[in-house]
Amino acid sequence: MEYLKRRASIWILALLLSAGCHQGANQAAPEPQAETTVKVDNRNFLDMNVFVLGGGQRVRLGFVPGLSTQVFKIPSYLVRAAPLQFELHAIGGRTNPRSETISVQPGDEVSLMIPPE
């Protein structure tokens, strides 16, 4: 009889533990944030470092070799702090030109063309 009570206690404990770990079927997974990107078309011979400015911050996105194209992800915290500007720093250059200020929404792809000189 003692054996049956102990076995019943183990089953009750197992059922309680499994009920506590169960996730409801109605819970939806959080939706992923849409990526916001900038496509940089460098038509210049000089290699460029690309920065994004927004919300009082200047963040380096990456490097684009001369005569090539790169796509960079814009951090989501900067997109929420729109408007944005882009700054270019030519390796071996003396200036850091900036784009116009633009409004960007999550999921947008911004195109930036660096002209030849």
Side-chain angles (χ1 to χ4, degrees):
M1 189 71 159
E2 184 66 32
Y3 171 75
L4 292 176
K5 285 183 183 178
R6 195 173 345 159
R7 189 168 178 171
S9 298
I10 291 173
W11 278 106
I12 291 171
L13 182 61
L15 286 173
L16 289 174
L17 287 175
S18 66
C21 296
H22 176 71
Q23 291 184 358
N26 293 338
Q27 290 182 347
E31 288 188 33
Q33 285 284 2
E35 273 192 2
T36 307
T37 59
V38 59
K39 179 180 178 182
V40 181
D41 180 10
N42 186 0
R43 297 182 182 180
N44 199 305
F45 285 104
L46 297 175
D47 300 336
M48 302 279 179
N49 280 314
V50 181
F51 299 87
V52 62
L53 295 88
Q57 298 183 49
R58 179 179 181 250
V59 177
R60 182 178 182 269
L61 296 178
F63 173 80
V64 183
L67 304 174
S68 68
T69 301
Q70 296 284 335
V71 176
F72 302 105
K73 181 181 173 193
I74 302 171
S76 60
Y77 64 89
L78 288 176
V79 175
R80 289 189 299 266
L84 300 177
Q85 262 187 311
F86 295 92
E87 181 179 287
L88 303 167
H89 174 73
I91 307 298
R94 295 184 186 162
T95 62
N96 290 345
R98 290 186 178 178
S99 70
E100 295 180 17
T101 302
I102 60 170
S103 294
V104 179
Q105 300 296 318
D108 285 353
E109 181 183 74
V110 178
S111 293
L112 184 64
M113 194 268 293
I114 303 168
E117 287 192 29

